[in-house]
Amino acid sequence: MSTLSRIRKTCFPSKQLSIVALGVILVGAVFVYYNSGQSNSFTRENKQFYRNNVLEEKVKSLKDGRKQEKVEENNFLSTGEVHPKKVGDENTSLATDGDLPEEINVIITFTNAHSSPSLQRKFTVTVTTMLAATSAPLALHILGDMESQKLAASIIKENVKSDNYRIVVLDIEDITHHLYDLVKDMQSKFSGQRSYYHDALFFLSIAIHRVLPTDIHKVVMLDADLKFQGDIKNLHVLFNNFSDTNVMGIAHEAQPVYRHQFHQYRNQNKGTRVGEPPPNGLTGFNSGVLLLDIDRMRSSAVYNSLITAEVAEQLKKKYSFRGHLGDQCFFTLLSLEHEDLFYVLPCNWNRQLCTWWKGKGYDDVFDLYFKCEGHINIYHGNCNTKIPD
């Protein structure tokens, strides 16, 4: 018998070898089957677990953010001690997941309010009707001195039952510091020394794209003397109607204000469109309701080259213009030579009610400016005009 045969016979008897081999095969088969089933089951279960937990974390994060905002709002109401947004701050309080509704940024000018019960009442109507008419989540930026911002937050908390909003505290000192030179020059050119519009805040819309956080892309900017009868969400949709060159949406002035302001230029330039009524005239604007495409305002070389004191002075001289109505006078002047920068809002999104110019020499053309057909989405009680109930 060979040595190899002897080793095989001694160490691996054939029957025992067969049994061991069969056992190994069976154990391996059971292990593979069991592990395969468990692996598939584990993958499915963990995917579901992951989905559920991610969703839960998103909801928790959103709720925690809302709770923190409410804490800051309440702290602001009681002490005024919050952390206002400064230039360049990022707004990261809301999740950006596509499943969550997009927030509409709304800026409301509300300044020197403590000394004006009338302005407080108007502001109350503006915010209560706006929030009652929409289900869209809003970020409310109050543009005013710190005391007016605290008062605005108090009014909203007391009168608004909805929870689809948050209040964003703006650092007004920081904003006005960054825009001081431009605003100072515009004030001197487009407001009277005692004019309501002499306040620096009535000129911030011109260059607000330079100070808002970079994650704010579009803004609805409002006066505080409005009454909403339409959903602000539908106003925001009008951004979709902008042409490639439009940087903002603004409604025509509803009185012959600029027909009068440009009377010298009109007398020297017969047949001009300047100061003529809609739809074909260069009528001039009313800035009570603005759609500001902040991204386009930032990127438009044309627009940014025009918002200087030098350009403003050149246009004033060319058109023999003296205005006192703040930012809208500047926008009106720009539109005479750069119509393409402006999308004209339908009049029913800024239905101005003031009739001051009626009976002052323009009765034959007054209705050409004032008429506005269709459902009124926003009433504008400018020049202290009573808004219909």
Side-chain angles (χ1 to χ4, degrees):
M1 183 182 292
S2 69
T3 304
L4 181 58
S5 297
R6 192 181 296 116
I7 291 173
R8 283 177 178 167
K9 214 168 178 182
T10 305
C11 299
F12 300 103
S14 58
K15 287 185 177 179
Q16 293 178 4
L17 182 62
S18 299
I19 293 170
V20 170
L22 181 60
V24 169
I25 293 171
L26 289 173
V27 170
V30 170
F31 176 79
V32 170
Y33 174 80
Y34 178 80
N35 190 57
S36 174
Q38 284 294 97
S39 177
N40 290 337
S41 176
F42 178 82
T43 301
R44 289 194 298 272
E45 290 173 1
N46 276 270
K47 282 183 178 179
Q48 188 61 44
F49 175 82
Y50 176 77
R51 290 193 193 101
N52 291 344
N53 277 270
V54 167
L55 180 58
E56 184 178 337
E57 284 300 314
K58 285 181 178 179
V59 172
K60 183 178 183 299
S61 174
L62 183 58
K63 287 181 178 178
D64 288 346
R66 293 293 189 184
K67 286 178 182 177
Q68 181 60 29
E69 287 161 5
K70 189 58 68 176
V71 168
E72 291 182 0
E73 179 187 334
N74 291 337
N75 188 38
F76 179 54
L77 288 170
S78 59
T79 67
E81 296 177 357
V82 292
H83 301 288
K85 274 187 175 291
K86 290 183 178 294
V87 176
D89 281 358
E90 298 297 327
N91 174 9
T92 57
S93 59
L94 279 184
T96 57
D97 191 283
D99 294 332
L100 296 175
E102 186 177 353
E103 189 176 51
I104 296 176
N105 286 287
V106 180
I107 296 179
I108 304 179
T109 305
F110 185 62
T111 188
N112 300 323
H114 266 282
S115 59
S116 178
S118 173
L119 179 57
Q120 294 173 34
R121 289 192 294 271
K122 294 173 184 177
F123 176 80
T124 302
V125 172
T126 300
V127 294
T128 55
T129 58
M130 175 178 63
L131 285 163
T134 189
S135 59
L138 307 182
L140 303 180
H141 308 250
I142 308 301
L143 191 60
D145 56 276
M146 189 55 68
E147 288 303 308
S148 294
Q149 289 195 49
K150 290 173 67 175
L151 179 58
S154 179
I155 289 172
I156 293 171
K157 184 177 180 181
E158 182 178 341
N159 293 279
V160 174
K161 306 306 179 186
S162 168
D163 61 355
N164 63 327
Y165 73 93
R166 65 187 181 96
I167 296 175
V168 181
V169 181
L170 296 174
D171 190 332
I172 297 302
E173 290 186 4
D174 193 46
I175 290 174
T176 52
H177 170 73
H178 279 78
L179 298 180
Y180 174 77
D181 290 337
L182 174 63
V183 168
K184 179 186 64 175
D185 289 333
M186 293 299 177
Q187 279 179 290
S188 67
K189 300 179 189 305
F190 298 108
S191 67
Q193 290 300 312
R194 296 185 178 181
S195 169
Y196 172 69
Y197 298 97
H198 186 66
D199 193 301
L201 299 183
F202 289 101
F203 294 88
L204 292 184
S205 61
I206 295 171
I208 201 164
H209 59 289
R210 294 179 176 175
V211 295
L212 286 178
T214 56
D215 63 333
I216 293 181
H217 308 291
K218 292 181 173 65
V219 162
V220 178
M221 193 166 185
L222 306 171
D223 281 356
D225 54 352
L226 309 175
K227 180 179 179 180
F228 278 75
Q229 294 195 142
D231 193 332
I232 194 170
K233 180 170 56 178
N234 296 328
L235 172 62
H236 196 271
V237 166
L238 295 180
F239 276 114
N240 296 334
N241 294 347
F242 281 27
S243 73
D244 291 342
T245 59
N246 296 156
V247 300
M248 70 179 65
I250 184 171
H252 282 137
E253 171 61 45
Q255 295 188 92
V257 173
Y258 294 106
R259 188 183 188 98
H260 179 80
Q261 297 283 5
F262 289 116
H263 71 275
Q264 184 175 337
Y265 180 84
R266 287 170 55 80
N267 287 338
Q268 296 169 352
N269 296 270
K270 300 298 183 181
T272 181
R273 294 171 61 215
V274 173
E276 285 291 294
N280 299 317
L282 295 170
T283 307
F285 293 130
N286 180 281
S287 59
V289 177
L290 291 171
L291 294 185
L292 303 179
D293 190 320
I294 302 300
D295 284 342
R296 289 193 182 181
M297 292 173 75
R298 290 174 181 134
S299 63
S300 173
V302 173
Y303 181 74
N304 285 286
S305 71
L306 295 172
I307 54 175
T308 68
E310 293 73 24
V311 170
E313 188 60 32
Q314 291 169 11
L315 291 173
K316 282 187 67 176
K317 287 181 179 179
K318 178 176 180 178
Y319 292 99
S320 305
F321 181 78
R322 294 182 65 186
H324 63 281
L325 297 175
D327 57 354
Q328 72 178 51
C329 287
F330 179 67
F331 294 146
T332 293
L333 272 177
L334 285 190
S335 73
L336 303 185
E337 299 192 358
H338 298 276
E339 283 185 79
D340 60 330
L341 290 175
F342 303 93
Y343 167 75
V344 178
L345 285 180
C347 64
N348 54 9
W349 282 106
N350 181 4
R351 184 34 171 147
Q352 303 142 58
L353 298 172
C354 182
T355 57
W356 191 89
W357 284 93
K358 194 167 188 175
K360 293 181 172 61
Y362 297 101
D363 286 8
D364 57 330
V365 295
F366 184 87
D367 286 339
L368 297 178
Y369 296 85
F370 193 73
K371 68 179 179 181
C372 182
E373 300 174 349
H375 173 75
I376 304 303
N377 294 298
I378 299 178
Y379 280 113
H380 183 184
N382 51 331
C383 73
N384 294 314
T385 306
K386 179 177 172 54
I387 296 177
D389 293 330

Short mmCIF file of all heavy atoms in Angstrom, two decimals, residues 104 121 270:
data_model
loop_
_atom_site.label_atom_id
_atom_site.label_comp_id
_atom_site.label_asym_id
_atom_site.label_seq_id
_atom_site.Cartn_x
_atom_site.Cartn_y
_atom_site.Cartn_z
N ILE A 104 -43.40 83.59 0.74
CA ILE A 104 -43.42 84.87 0.03
C ILE A 104 -42.87 85.95 0.95
O ILE A 104 -43.35 86.14 2.06
CB ILE A 104 -44.85 85.23 -0.41
CG1 ILE A 104 -45.37 84.20 -1.43
CG2 ILE A 104 -44.89 86.63 -1.01
CD1 ILE A 104 -46.82 84.42 -1.84
N ARG A 121 -53.99 102.28 12.47
CA ARG A 121 -55.25 101.67 12.00
C ARG A 121 -55.13 101.18 10.57
O ARG A 121 -55.59 100.08 10.23
CB ARG A 121 -56.39 102.69 12.11
CG ARG A 121 -56.83 102.99 13.56
CD ARG A 121 -58.13 103.76 13.58
NE ARG A 121 -57.99 105.09 12.99
CZ ARG A 121 -57.64 106.18 13.68
NH1 ARG A 121 -57.37 106.09 14.98
NH2 ARG A 121 -57.55 107.35 13.08
N LYS A 270 -44.58 119.18 -27.94
CA LYS A 270 -45.95 118.83 -28.29
C LYS A 270 -46.00 117.42 -28.89
O LYS A 270 -45.14 117.02 -29.67
CB LYS A 270 -46.52 119.83 -29.30
CG LYS A 270 -46.55 121.26 -28.79
CD LYS A 270 -47.43 121.41 -27.57
CE LYS A 270 -47.51 122.88 -27.12
NZ LYS A 270 -48.35 123.05 -25.92
#
